[in-house]
Amino acid sequence: MRGTRAKKEKAKGTKIFIIVLVLLIIIAGVLFAMKIMGENKNTELTNANGEQVNDKNEEVKVATPKTLAGKERPIAVMIDNHIDAMPQAGLLEADIVYEIIVEGGETRLMLVLQGKDLEKVGPIRSARHYFLDYALENDAIYVHYGWSPQAESDISTLGVNNINGIYESSSSFWRVSDKYAPHNAVSSIENISNIADRKGYRRDYNKEPVLNYVVAEVELEEGEIANTVTIPYSYANTVKYEYDADKKEYVRYSRGKKQVDWDSEKTITTKNIIITKAKNSTLNDGSGKGRQTLDNIGTLDGYYITNGKAIKIKCVKDSRSGQTVYKDLEGNEINVNDGKTFIQICPIDSKITFE
């Protein structure tokens, strides 16, 4: 009897041991499976930079555009584009450059700069009233050296935060010796910032950028080929861009010459080109100087050009201070590649060509 009982107890112990062993194996398997599932889940949770997010409650970081993304208020500087003013300082570092026709068939440029520390920017020229519209839509402090009567009046009427270099000290705005007047007035961003602070101008950026910048590369699949872009402004000035497919940017030419930086002689390039066709006409102001005005409010025809392609767009501006919205022909705001943009506001009858 004792032998039989012992055998039963031994069998019972063996059975319990086997059950416990099986349970341990099952638990180990479940834990291993959970680990694998967790790793797979973490692999699927990635941000726009491809970085893994290991905690489902962790905020997914999304890559954001860098152009005009800072909190510092931009500075808009009027730049001379006469042949005797070239090369200029500031085009290389600008976030946006506007080019618009002025008297005599010439053009002037307006640089929009944010967070740049330039020891020299210029040559700086006098204000024209329609450039104010684009300083306002960028929430920029407007810098110029002199002004037309129309610009002086509108600066006051529109309450434009401006800095007129003519009324500043020669240590803040000065004339250089390697160019001659009036094509040689320059300043620095530090000087401009100090004057803005002295005048009590707001320095924080209160608007979203005018352009809808995106990080993902914009490829205009339906666009026409635009490896060479030619924009005639007048008999005096034709602008041309040549696409560099290796660098995926455009090289800028003016009056048949490649544009370079004043001091470094680096080539001026841009990621994006936007063309707006706007009617300009001569002011009847009695001055005899042929100053221009611009019909730029409303919906205007244009193009967006990037990465060797161009599409037709509509450029919608509701008021002088309102931001221009650039839309495709279906009415959707266009995405713009992160990077520098030249905005060419050219005569409405300009014979623009793409090759």
Side-chain angles (χ1 to χ4, degrees):
M1 294 290 293
R2 288 181 182 176
T4 303
R5 183 182 299 172
K7 288 181 180 180
K8 288 183 177 179
E9 288 178 354
K10 184 178 179 180
K12 182 178 181 181
T14 302
K15 185 177 181 181
I16 293 172
F17 173 77
I18 292 172
I19 292 171
V20 170
L21 182 61
V22 170
L23 289 173
L24 288 174
I25 292 171
I26 292 171
I27 291 170
V30 170
L31 291 174
F32 181 74
M34 290 176 65
K35 181 181 178 182
I36 296 299
M37 291 174 64
E39 288 176 354
N40 290 339
K41 185 174 182 180
N42 288 340
T43 301
E44 293 173 0
L45 286 174
T46 58
N47 61 22
N49 293 321
E51 300 166 339
Q52 290 188 11
V53 179
N54 295 317
D55 186 341
K56 65 180 181 180
N57 295 320
E58 181 178 339
E59 181 180 354
V60 177
K61 297 178 181 178
V62 178
T64 57
K66 297 179 180 178
T67 309
L68 291 171
K71 300 301 183 183
E72 181 181 338
R73 190 177 182 190
I75 293 170
V77 188
M78 284 292 291
I79 299 293
D80 195 342
N81 200 40
H82 189 275
I83 193 168
D84 294 326
M86 298 167 66
Q88 302 101 324
L91 275 71
L92 197 65
E93 298 83 2
D95 296 291
I96 299 176
V97 181
Y98 291 85
E99 181 169 16
I100 313 177
I101 199 162
V102 293
E103 58 270 24
E106 295 289 341
T107 64
R108 286 190 186 166
L109 308 172
M110 188 184 79
L111 314 184
V112 178
L113 300 136
Q114 185 189 61
K116 307 301 191 299
D117 185 18
L118 305 182
E119 294 183 357
K120 182 168 71 177
V121 58
I124 304 174
R125 285 301 298 270
S126 56
R128 294 295 179 267
H129 64 286
Y130 38 89
F131 280 92
L132 300 176
D133 304 11
Y134 302 101
L136 287 168
E137 74 172 7
N138 283 283
D139 190 35
I141 297 170
Y142 182 62
V143 180
H144 52 104
Y145 199 86
W147 45 24
S148 67
Q150 295 81 11
E152 179 182 11
S153 175
D154 285 356
I155 283 172
S156 176
T157 301
L158 296 170
V160 179
N161 287 170
N162 79 106
I163 296 172
N164 188 344
I166 282 181
Y167 298 131
E168 300 298 332
S169 69
S170 59
S171 62
S172 296
F173 285 75
W174 65 95
R175 292 193 180 275
V176 295
S177 59
D178 55 330
K179 290 181 170 65
Y180 61 86
H183 312 295
N184 62 347
V186 300
S187 187
S188 70
I189 297 300
E190 181 180 8
N191 289 347
I192 291 168
S193 296
N194 289 338
I195 295 167
D197 289 339
R198 190 193 74 217
K199 289 179 172 288
Y201 291 154
R202 172 177 50 79
R203 300 306 305 280
D204 59 305
Y205 190 28
N206 275 3
K207 288 189 177 182
E208 292 295 320
V210 171
L211 300 175
N212 186 33
Y213 298 108
V214 294
V215 174
E217 193 76 7
V218 176
E219 301 288 355
L220 304 176
E221 301 295 343
E222 303 301 321
E224 61 182 298
I225 297 297
N227 291 321
T228 300
V229 181
T230 304
I231 312 166
Y233 274 83
S234 69
Y235 67 90
N237 185 20
T238 294
V239 176
K240 188 176 181 180
Y241 292 94
E242 293 284 356
Y243 184 56
D244 184 333
D246 292 332
K247 295 182 178 179
K248 301 193 77 171
E249 60 187 16
Y250 284 88
V251 176
R252 178 180 160 88
Y253 295 80
S254 182
R255 297 177 175 84
K257 295 178 63 176
K258 182 170 70 174
Q259 290 202 266
V260 298
D261 180 68
W262 190 340
D263 290 327
S264 71
E265 297 186 351
K266 290 182 179 179
T267 301
I268 304 302
T269 62
T270 187
K271 181 65 175 174
N272 308 293
I273 305 161
I274 290 178
I275 298 174
T276 300
K277 302 181 78 171
K279 181 181 178 182
N280 62 289
S281 55
T282 302
L283 282 168
N284 184 22
D285 60 359
S287 68
K289 294 185 176 181
R291 293 194 185 100
Q292 300 293 292
T293 191
L294 192 71
D295 294 336
N296 62 339
I297 307 303
T299 300
L300 306 177
D301 293 329
Y303 295 92
Y304 172 47
I305 304 150
T306 193
N307 291 343
K309 291 286 193 71
I311 60 169
K312 291 182 178 180
I313 61 171
K314 296 294 183 179
C315 312
V316 183
K317 188 171 176 64
D318 294 331
S319 68
R320 295 191 66 181
S321 61
Q323 290 187 315
T324 306
V325 180
Y326 299 96
K327 300 181 178 182
D328 62 28
L329 298 187
E330 283 70 49
N332 306 303
E333 184 175 6
I334 63 171
N335 292 330
V336 175
N337 272 317
D338 197 9
K340 183 188 301 179
T341 303
F342 270 78
I343 298 180
Q344 308 288 155
I345 301 175
C346 66
I348 199 166
D349 57 354
S350 178
K351 306 299 182 184
I352 299 163
T353 60
F354 303 114
E355 299 175 28

